Amino acid sequence: MNGILLRLAAPLMSFGEHAAFRYRDTIGFPTRSALIGMFAAADGRSREEALAPDPDTGAIPYTDLVFTVRIDRPGHRHTDYHTAGGGRPHKEGLHTSSGEHRAQKASTFISHRVYLADAVFTVAVRGPDRLLEEITERLEQPAFALYLGRRACIPDEPLLLRAPHPDPVAELLHRVPLSLGAGPPPRQDTVPVDFVWEAPPAHVPAADVHRELADVPVDFTPTRRFHHTRRVWRTTEQLPIALAASRPPTEALTAYIQQDTP
């Protein structure tokens, strides 16, 4: 399958795994749910219609996509003490799950929300050509604002690195510049970089399952949110030291994007 290449970077981002109620966690890399949600937002789909079946074929959108994540910079975890609803009149405050207003003495909802700070991920997205073309067009001119897990987490530029490409995974391994947190190690030919694979590469044994994640979206509707599970494999790959060039990452990425451009 052909694919496109994305760079996910921002001061803060968050990809919930077991997020609920007063504690909103984050996993250490972009989830399938977050990526599909971003594509649906770019396409102008509401939460209720984001995964609505095609009326002609019955196909669920985005199910044919395959993701490979390169963890350029894992970032560090930051926990935000978050309040909502406080200081407002009782009948203008927050609602409970049943639709009623929260009791006045509990009108302020306190939660702890975990973010990844200063993280960078490069993602290969493979899928059918027509679907990739539509995603590319929408990412360049999104209908709704794009964000990385939470609405306050606006992605840096560039977001879209290249589309389409016949072998985006090879680009991750051999050509796309790295955005490391520190300079490359001296006197070494390679640098170790972690990958998360949705379709395991040939060198990963089929039985070597890293973990199962409940991040395959079935319904984004706030009152009916539900996810299926998937398997992912995690490896550490030795990438050419040339990808971690000493020049600023933005300059290196600009040069990469301009390569092969008519």
Side-chain angles (χ1 to χ4, degrees):
M1 292 186 289
N2 288 334
I4 61 177
L5 289 158
L6 306 176
R7 180 177 182 267
L8 307 184
L12 294 173
M13 61 185 81
S14 187
F15 309 106
E17 183 179 13
H18 303 295
F21 303 106
R22 295 186 180 274
Y23 182 76
R24 307 295 180 89
D25 69 346
T26 181
I27 199 171
F29 51 85
T31 58
R32 185 177 180 90
S33 180
L35 291 165
I36 289 176
M38 184 172 68
F39 298 156
D43 196 29
R45 295 170 179 262
S46 67
R47 291 180 181 271
E48 292 76 11
E49 299 296 324
L51 301 174
D54 184 285
D56 297 324
T57 65
I60 304 297
Y62 312 115
T63 55
D64 293 331
L65 296 177
V66 179
F67 298 105
T68 302
V69 178
R70 190 181 76 182
I71 304 176
D72 289 27
R73 194 158 70 223
H76 59 274
R77 293 177 183 268
H78 169 77
T79 302
D80 176 41
Y81 177 83
H82 185 92
T83 63
R88 304 180 67 180
H90 180 221
K91 295 302 182 180
E92 296 180 12
L94 301 177
H95 291 78
T96 65
S97 58
S98 63
E100 301 294 328
H101 287 283
R102 292 171 61 90
Q104 191 165 9
K105 64 180 180 180
S107 60
T108 300
F109 185 82
I110 298 173
S111 63
H112 292 82
R113 306 190 178 198
V114 185
Y115 296 84
L116 298 177
D118 198 31
V120 179
F121 307 95
T122 308
V123 183
V125 185
R126 291 177 287 163
D129 290 347
R130 181 56 191 157
L131 177 57
L132 293 174
E133 290 172 5
E134 293 173 354
I135 291 173
T136 300
E137 292 173 2
R138 293 303 187 181
L139 289 177
E140 292 175 337
Q141 294 185 319
F144 297 151
L146 306 181
Y147 52 88
L148 303 181
R150 298 201 181 119
R151 290 182 181 178
C153 303
I154 307 301
D156 293 343
E157 292 288 346
L159 173 63
L160 181 64
L161 296 181
R162 181 158 296 177
H165 194 279
D167 194 348
V169 174
E171 291 290 287
L172 289 183
L173 291 167
H174 303 295
R175 296 191 64 193
V176 182
L178 285 162
S179 299
L180 300 180
R187 298 181 297 278
Q188 292 189 21
D189 296 328
T190 61
V191 56
V193 178
D194 287 344
F195 278 67
V196 178
W197 308 83
E198 194 170 52
H203 65 278
V204 175
D208 186 17
V209 178
H210 170 62
R211 64 185 302 178
E212 290 195 356
L213 299 177
D215 70 343
V216 181
V218 177
D219 194 336
F220 281 120
T221 304
T223 57
R224 300 195 305 269
R225 294 193 67 174
F226 182 72
H227 296 80
H228 286 317
T229 60
R230 65 171 175 145
R231 290 180 175 181
V232 295
W233 288 256
R234 186 160 181 163
T235 67
T236 300
E237 307 295 329
Q238 297 295 329
L239 302 192
I241 197 68
L243 298 184
S246 58
R247 58 180 172 173
T250 301
E251 182 181 331
L253 287 166
T254 300
Y256 171 77
I257 292 170
Q258 293 175 344
Q259 291 174 3
D260 305 325
T261 300

